[in-house]
Amino acid sequence: MSMAGLVILDCWVSPFCMRVKIALNEKGLQYEARPEDLFGGKSDLLLNSNPIYKKVPVFLHDGKPLCESSIIVAYIDETWSSPPLHPPCSYGRAQARFWADYIDKKVFDACGNIWRSKGEVPVEAKTEFIEILKQLEGALGDKEYFNGATFGFVDIVAIPLTSWFFAVEKIGGFSVAAECPKFSSWMKRCLQRESVAKVMPDPEKVYESVLMFRKMQGID
Amino acid sequence: MEGEVVLLDFWPSMFGMRTRIALAEKQIKYEYREEDLRNKSALLLQMNPVHKKIPVLIHNGKPICESLIQVQYIDEVWNDRAPLLPPNPYQRATARFWADFVDKKIYDLGAKVWRTKGEEQEAAKKELIECLKLLEGQLGDNPYFGGKDFGFVDVALVPFYCWFYTYEKFGSFSIEAECPKLIAWAKRCMQKESVAKSLADQEKIYDFVLHLKKALGIEDEVAKETVRAAETAGFFRVVNFMDSAILYIKVKWGILSSSMVRSSCKVIALLEGHAHQRAQEVSKFRL
């Protein structure tokens, strides 16, 4: 297989892989997404390209590997400058990095605290999840996107995680739209973008996968 | 051109040290303000409402939080001197990757080494050495992680050097014996004024941790007793996740949680009012 060009070692249900694909789509770049079998057997290319974590996504630019989705998205923005995904000023970029870091630290784990619950989902897990989204609503403010008037870095970091929200809502018995309408509106706005819609999986399919993960982990 | 620069910090914090080093490298004049983490200032809570943690960098009244984000900000704003990140995007991504690796691993493993005993401590020591060896591998034959020049990853990692003495004393092991190249690198960094001025004295760190352990030991015991009492009374169930154990204590006032995530022991137990307050004290010392 050719090592030239842009390749992503991928998994369709991984929100972290989705970030990279959305960024590439935003830049209008052609790339090859190679699916990895994360449970059956990771490819040698994956294990060699990401020996530290052995995880997807790995982005290969003419054979040179990059790991960690937020770092990959920043690399894509710095290498292909149009359209810009980061704010133009240093302070704006620091704020963007802060919220991307907050999302990375909080959202996926909070989802996990709900979908991994055995039996009844603790109220506190749901409360914590909603509080995180409300914090993000605060960061969004009256803007169209986290990045301002245009879709950008923080939007790309956040939107893929929402593909897991349907599963979290079903298992948790609550509605993001009811609790956080502003956040829900932002989600819909992003999903209208072709770069995002092309990449985001069917939430029902994600839910099926989550149920499968629960079985695999002995929760169900 | 600098404007007003203030740093809210706590002297033993390796995260605060990163920002101090970056400011010193760029020769930026700033006001250092020491925070009492048991009694956080109104300014700290206002400038970092999301995490309520130090360090906070305040530039012309506007806050920047998270140490690596602060270092990047400093590098971008004062871009006419002592560059910390390389100009090439691939090298920048590599530097960010390794700084992120330091963030993901070293603090929590180090904390486990000084906070725990027995098997848990042994496992933490082993993993800490493995991570430091990976970093040694990344350094290779270069004088710095930045190559010929001191750079972003050097700033991210070198503050931990003043904590190595504490890890070694509590863990009864020698990091230098396992990772001589890394210690040689650290000593090389310490010859830079920006680093030597910014790192705390390793003996002072050890004393600080000794006192902290005494205080936490007592609080942990109270929290543990509270949880044991709740267990006996049949008031909780344990849910085990892949790498975190979540205790839910369901009492008549509602559902409360105690989560032990890696090395940070944050036990929030409300059964008696005073136990809740003591358990809150335990969580305040998360740097």
Side-chain angles (χ1 to χ4, degrees):
Chain A
M1 277 190 206
S2 165
M3 289 315 288
L6 311 179
V7 176
I8 172 174
L9 304 184
D10 187 29
C11 175
W12 69 272
V13 74
S14 159
F16 308 102
C17 294
M18 289 174 218
R19 289 171 175 175
V20 178
K21 290 180 278 189
I22 292 170
L24 293 167
N25 289 342
E26 283 286 313
K27 301 286 186 179
L29 295 163
Q30 298 297 317
Y31 60 91
E32 182 198 344
R34 287 192 206 163
E36 284 283 334
D37 181 356
L38 299 181
F39 304 105
K42 294 174 180 177
S43 72
D44 284 342
L45 181 59
L46 173 57
L47 298 174
N48 292 332
S49 307
N50 192 358
I52 307 286
Y53 302 117
K54 305 176 174 54
K55 284 183 174 181
V56 290
V58 174
F59 179 61
L60 294 144
H61 183 189
D62 293 335
K64 292 200 295 191
L66 293 112
C67 309
E68 294 301 299
S69 59
S70 301
I71 294 175
I72 296 169
V73 174
Y75 171 81
I76 290 168
D77 199 31
E78 289 177 10
T79 307
W80 294 276
S81 53
S82 176
L85 301 174
H86 281 76
C89 71
S90 304
Y91 191 74
R93 279 197 292 278
Q95 289 299 91
R97 287 168 183 147
F98 176 85
W99 287 109
D101 176 68
Y102 177 83
I103 290 160
D104 261 346
K105 277 183 167 99
K106 300 278 192 181
V107 178
F108 200 60
D109 282 352
C111 286
N113 286 344
I114 294 171
W115 71 257
R116 286 188 174 131
S117 290
K118 206 177 176 91
E120 195 191 318
V121 175
V123 164
E124 220 218 21
K126 292 190 263 189
T127 312
E128 200 193 348
F129 180 77
I130 296 298
E131 268 166 24
I132 290 167
L133 294 191
K134 287 205 148 85
Q135 190 78 256
L136 290 173
E137 280 188 328
L140 185 61
D142 294 321
K143 307 195 297 283
E144 290 268 295
Y145 299 104
F146 285 98
N147 197 50
T150 55
F151 184 78
F153 182 62
V154 179
D155 306 283
I156 292 174
V157 165
I159 193 66
L161 294 161
T162 69
S163 64
W164 283 56
F165 284 8
F166 176 71
V168 165
E169 287 168 316
K170 286 273 280 198
I171 293 167
F174 67 101
S175 152
V176 169
E179 304 274 355
C180 305
K182 222 180 178 180
F183 192 85
S184 188
S185 300
W186 164 83
M187 281 169 59
K188 290 200 180 82
R189 205 172 297 129
C190 291
L191 287 165
Q192 283 168 359
R193 297 182 75 77
E194 202 194 328
S195 64
V196 176
K198 276 201 301 190
V199 161
M200 297 278 279
D202 179 355
E204 290 271 8
K205 290 212 161 74
V206 176
Y207 178 52
E208 276 167 33
S209 289
V210 169
L211 292 178
M212 185 187 71
F213 297 147
R214 281 172 64 96
K215 277 209 181 71
M216 282 167 64
Q217 287 169 29
I219 301 165
D220 277 337
Chain B
M1 284 324 278
E2 265 161 29
E4 200 205 336
V5 182
V6 177
L7 180 66
L8 307 182
D9 200 353
F10 180 51
W11 69 269
S13 164
M14 44 304 246
F15 305 102
M17 286 174 212
R18 289 168 169 175
T19 310
R20 289 176 231 165
I21 294 170
L23 290 165
E25 279 287 300
K26 305 279 188 174
Q27 298 182 312
I28 296 162
K29 288 197 181 59
Y30 67 99
E31 184 195 339
Y32 178 95
R33 287 198 209 170
E34 189 70 35
E35 283 283 335
D36 176 1
L37 296 188
R38 296 186 98 146
N39 185 21
K40 293 174 180 177
S41 71
L43 183 64
L44 171 56
L45 299 175
Q46 184 201 343
M47 291 282 135
N48 192 358
V50 176
H51 299 302
K52 303 177 175 54
K53 284 181 173 182
I54 54 89
V56 179
L57 181 72
I58 310 173
H59 186 203
N60 293 326
K62 297 197 292 190
I64 300 108
C65 305
E66 296 301 303
S67 59
L68 292 182
I69 295 175
Q70 291 160 358
V71 173
Q72 287 184 82
Y73 175 81
I74 290 165
D75 200 37
E76 287 180 17
V77 172
W78 290 274
N79 57 7
D80 56 342
R81 54 193 113 148
L84 295 169
L85 275 162
N88 171 283
Y90 189 77
Q91 288 172 0
R92 291 159 76 85
T94 306
R96 286 177 177 139
F97 175 87
W98 285 103
D100 177 66
F101 175 81
V102 173
D103 257 2
K104 278 181 164 71
K105 300 281 188 183
I106 309 298
Y107 178 82
D108 284 345
L109 288 171
K112 260 193 173 152
V113 169
W114 68 256
R115 289 181 90 146
T116 67
K117 293 175 291 205
E119 268 179 44
E120 204 182 345
Q121 191 190 47
E122 284 308 307
K125 277 162 61 180
K126 186 163 172 273
E127 205 186 335
L128 177 65
I129 293 297
E130 273 165 19
C131 289
L132 294 178
K133 284 197 158 117
L134 281 169
L135 286 160
E136 266 192 333
Q138 180 58 20
L139 181 64
D141 294 321
N142 292 316
Y144 300 106
F145 285 93
K148 284 194 284 93
D149 300 309
F150 185 77
F152 189 62
V153 181
D154 304 280
V155 175
L157 181 60
V158 79
F160 287 91
Y161 178 59
C162 64
W163 278 76
F164 281 0
Y165 178 70
T166 298
Y167 300 157
E168 288 169 330
K169 288 275 276 197
F170 282 105
S172 306
F173 69 127
S174 160
I175 294 175
E176 185 160 16
E178 305 273 0
C179 307
K181 239 177 163 179
L182 196 70
I183 299 302
W185 158 83
K187 289 182 176 158
R188 191 177 303 128
C189 292
M190 284 295 284
Q191 286 173 356
K192 292 176 70 68
E193 198 188 338
S194 61
V195 177
K197 271 196 322 184
S198 304
L199 263 54
D201 175 75
Q202 61 182 22
E203 301 256 6
K204 289 204 170 95
I205 299 268
Y206 179 64
D207 272 336
F208 163 74
V209 172
L210 268 177
H211 282 104
L212 188 61
K213 274 200 84 158
K214 268 201 191 99
L216 288 178
I218 298 163
E219 312 302 0
D220 267 350
E221 281 312 311
V222 170
K224 273 185 201 154
E225 270 312 310
T226 310
V227 170
R228 243 174 263 143
E231 182 181 18
T232 313
F235 278 147
F236 81 96
R237 59 196 162 91
V238 177
V239 181
N240 276 310
F241 292 54
M242 287 203 307
D243 60 354
S244 56
I246 307 218
L247 274 165
Y248 288 97
I249 305 173
K250 186 173 182 174
V251 295
K252 59 182 177 185
W253 296 278
I255 300 174
L256 305 133
S257 81
S258 148
S259 68
M260 324 250 292
V261 181
R262 296 186 192 97
S263 68
S264 93
C265 189
K266 191 172 109 179
V267 178
I268 302 170
L270 179 63
L271 283 179
E272 315 281 339
H274 69 275
H276 171 66
Q277 212 163 329
R278 287 193 202 185
Q280 290 281 69
E281 290 299 303
V282 174
S283 70
K284 272 185 188 167
F285 284 96
R286 183 80 165 86
L287 286 173

